[in-house]
Amino acid sequence: MYRRISIQSADFSLDQTLDRLKQHSGSPGGVCFFVGTVRDTNLDEQVSGLFLEHYPGMTEAQLARILDAAEQRWPLAGAEVVHRIGALQPGDNIVLVAVAAAHRGEAFQACEMIMDYLKTQATFWKKEQAASGDRWLDARISDQTKLTDWDAGGVDF
Amino acid sequence: MYRRISIQSADFSLDQTLDRLKQHSGSPGGVCFFVGTVRDTNLDEQVSGLFLEHYPGMTEAQLARILDAAEQRWPLAGAEVVHRIGALQPGDNIVLVAVAAAHRGEAFQACEMIMDYLKTQATFWKKEQAASGDRWLDARISDQTKLTDWDAGGVDF
Amino acid sequence: MKVLFFAGLRELMGESVIELDIDTSLTVAELKTLIRLPTGESLASWSQSQSLLAAVDQAMGSDATVVDPGAEVAFFPPVTGG
Amino acid sequence: MKVLFFAGLRELMGESVIELDIDTSLTVAELKTLIRLPTGESLASWSQSQSLLAAVDQAMGSDATVVDPGAEVAFFPPVTGG
């Protein structure tokens, strides 16, 4: 399976990701993308910006393990994961996951599983600039629950 | 909910769709996209091109009904559906569905439901240019089955 | 009454639209008995061996859907977009 | 042995990396008793009231994971990317 993992401060382009997936993963039929962006409010407070920190080396290794798990479960043609780090503004792109597959149901499922694992297993941390001051975000229980659902379905991670 | 439906012969840009969704649907957090492309083989034969015909007026009406059904089922921030018509080559983009929502699970589900309904309810027909001659594609039983799954889940269409 | 044909059925009919001079309401099933392919076979008979969908005023219909004289009706094979 | 800290824990520790002079293998749980915050509290004690994750050689670990003297260990709060 074609794969590309990138941790970068620069923005990304979905059109370029689609071009690369087409070029490197044959004629897959369908591609599912998920893009996460910086919200302008959180916990009922205005958010003026975000700073994203990560664990260089481990982050890339974790993302590779997540793609391994997805590839083991579904017949995929290609996948890209791009995650931004550093200072971001409300509305900015944070993360892109794109999965190409012959059948669209598999592209949707794999893309969602990769996002769910990324949220709980990839070593990124967000610090938010809010009106009441800067604060590190807390992990969400709901993200942990989603992971348990995949585990029950037999994802090997 | 912000929505845009376009039937066009021109190609589309995912980056522009993302920009419009951000501009018109507040600060939704996540956007799920699906892109369908022209495969280069079908029924074990090389495909050299595709011609897409549709029912002007009804196609737009059907797509609007599909978005109504999705909006009724999930709290969505915005959606775009773009479908190309006319002559297309292998690798060309055919369809784009993009759904913005506060929670990523809802964006994934709504995007997949819209695609499943589009496949069986939107008035498009594909004629394929293959080595053995031109042929109209047959509808797939598997697409009909996926629809029944959504119906069982209570989609009102 | 305007009747449209699409895709393979359009090619089989040899035309994309016909005008029928009908001044009463009737069902889609009844309308299918009145429309003939170039072979002389009625659309009702042909559709017994072929998948055929119908739309009335740009919404999906069935054999039981009632068609008013001023309606736009369309017949077509199962859709294959996406 | 190199020990890294990230995010809120890094700010609490006041540094992002420390070098420990340890020449035998030990568990993550044991290592946590040896590391002290600027307040004097051990990481083991602190983590009883705070969520704390550990990685050994860039893979997720648990209290029972064995750490070799040359390993890279990291401690951090639950991740919040995506």
Side-chain angles (χ1 to χ4, degrees):
Chain A
M1 173 181 90
Y2 161 74
R3 55 164 75 184
R4 178 173 173 269
I5 290 168
S6 177
I7 318 289
Q8 58 188 51
S9 53
D11 197 8
F12 48 75
S13 157
L14 283 71
D15 290 325
Q16 286 172 20
T17 289
L18 179 57
D19 283 347
R20 278 190 300 264
L21 282 167
K22 282 183 187 174
Q23 198 182 332
H24 298 296
S25 50
S27 181
V31 184
C32 180
F33 298 75
F34 182 82
V35 175
T37 64
V38 183
R39 295 176 202 227
D40 56 15
T41 50
N42 188 28
L43 306 172
D44 292 326
E45 254 195 295
Q46 203 71 19
V47 173
S48 60
L50 209 61
F51 189 87
L52 257 150
E53 172 176 333
H54 84 123
Y55 180 175
M58 176 155 172
T59 313
E60 291 83 347
Q62 288 291 90
L63 293 175
R65 290 175 189 123
I66 294 171
L67 292 187
D68 289 345
E71 198 177 0
Q72 216 166 347
R73 183 154 171 171
W74 295 284
L76 307 178
E80 286 210 4
V81 179
V82 186
H83 202 294
R84 296 180 69 187
I85 51 171
L88 298 176
Q89 304 300 313
D92 279 355
N93 297 327
I94 301 174
V95 63
L96 167 63
V97 172
V99 177
H103 300 106
R104 71 181 180 282
E106 293 164 351
F108 275 107
Q109 280 205 282
C111 189
E112 186 167 12
M113 192 208 85
I114 292 166
M115 269 307 300
D116 288 350
Y117 272 76
L118 185 153
K119 282 264 176 189
T120 52
Q121 304 290 320
T123 42
F124 295 100
W125 299 272
K126 287 192 188 109
K127 191 174 198 177
E128 208 171 66
Q129 285 106 50
S132 62
D134 291 2
R135 60 187 175 200
W136 290 97
L137 292 193
D138 283 328
R140 288 205 208 123
I141 300 293
S142 63
D143 285 327
Q144 202 57 51
T145 311
K146 275 169 156 270
L147 208 64
T148 313
D149 293 345
W150 290 113
D151 289 344
V155 167
D156 179 22
F157 185 78
Chain B
M1 173 181 90
Y2 161 74
R3 55 164 76 187
R4 178 173 173 269
I5 291 168
S6 177
I7 319 289
Q8 60 189 48
S9 53
D11 197 8
F12 48 75
S13 158
L14 282 70
D15 289 326
Q16 286 172 21
T17 290
L18 178 57
D19 284 346
R20 279 190 300 264
L21 281 167
K22 281 183 187 172
Q23 197 182 335
H24 298 296
S25 49
S27 182
V31 184
C32 180
F33 298 74
F34 181 83
V35 176
T37 63
V38 182
R39 296 176 201 227
D40 55 16
T41 50
N42 189 29
L43 307 171
D44 292 326
E45 255 195 294
Q46 202 71 20
V47 172
S48 60
L50 208 62
F51 190 88
L52 258 150
E53 172 175 332
H54 84 123
Y55 180 174
M58 176 155 172
T59 312
E60 291 84 348
Q62 287 291 92
L63 292 174
R65 290 176 189 122
I66 294 170
L67 291 187
D68 289 345
E71 199 177 0
Q72 216 165 348
R73 182 153 172 172
W74 296 285
L76 307 178
E80 287 210 4
V81 179
V82 186
H83 203 295
R84 296 180 69 188
I85 50 170
L88 297 175
Q89 305 299 313
D92 280 356
N93 297 328
I94 300 175
V95 63
L96 167 63
V97 173
V99 178
H103 300 107
R104 70 181 179 283
E106 293 164 351
F108 275 108
Q109 281 205 282
C111 189
E112 186 168 10
M113 192 208 85
I114 292 167
M115 268 308 300
D116 288 350
Y117 273 76
L118 185 152
K119 281 265 178 188
T120 51
Q121 304 289 319
T123 43
F124 296 100
W125 298 272
K126 286 191 189 110
K127 191 175 198 175
E128 208 170 65
Q129 284 106 49
S132 61
D134 291 3
R135 60 187 175 200
W136 290 98
L137 291 193
D138 283 329
R140 288 206 208 123
I141 301 293
S142 64
D143 286 328
Q144 203 57 52
T145 311
K146 274 169 155 270
L147 208 65
T148 313
D149 294 345
W150 289 113
D151 288 345
V155 167
D156 180 21
F157 184 78
Chain C
M1 183 181 301
K2 201 163 115 182
V3 182
L4 310 173
F5 307 105
F6 290 96
L9 182 62
R10 177 178 50 72
E11 292 184 349
L12 206 63
M13 291 297 296
E15 43 201 346
S16 57
V17 54
I18 58 174
E19 284 283 347
L20 294 181
D21 194 14
I22 293 175
D23 55 9
T24 56
S25 294
L26 76 180
T27 64
V28 165
E30 288 165 342
L31 181 58
K32 278 154 73 172
T33 65
L34 302 180
I35 296 170
R36 292 191 178 277
L37 281 77
T39 59
E41 189 182 11
S42 76
L43 199 56
S45 159
W46 183 81
S47 69
Q48 282 171 358
S49 63
Q50 301 286 330
S51 292
L52 180 72
L53 301 181
V56 177
D57 288 329
Q58 307 196 344
M60 290 293 190
S62 67
D63 273 351
T65 306
V66 173
V67 186
D68 291 326
E72 175 179 302
V73 184
F75 291 103
F76 43 77
V79 302
T80 56
Chain D
M1 184 179 301
K2 200 162 116 183
V3 182
L4 309 173
F5 307 103
F6 290 96
L9 182 62
R10 176 179 50 74
E11 292 184 349
L12 207 62
M13 291 298 295
E15 42 202 346
S16 57
V17 55
I18 57 174
E19 284 283 348
L20 293 182
D21 195 14
I22 294 175
D23 54 11
T24 56
S25 293
L26 75 179
T27 64
V28 166
E30 288 165 344
L31 181 59
K32 278 154 73 172
T33 65
L34 302 179
I35 297 171
R36 293 194 179 275
L37 280 77
T39 58
E41 189 182 11
S42 76
L43 199 56
S45 159
W46 183 81
S47 68
Q48 283 172 358
S49 64
Q50 301 286 329
S51 292
L52 180 71
L53 300 182
V56 177
D57 288 328
Q58 307 196 346
M60 290 292 188
S62 68
D63 274 351
T65 306
V66 174
V67 184
D68 292 326
E72 174 179 304
V73 183
F75 291 103
F76 42 78
V79 302
T80 55

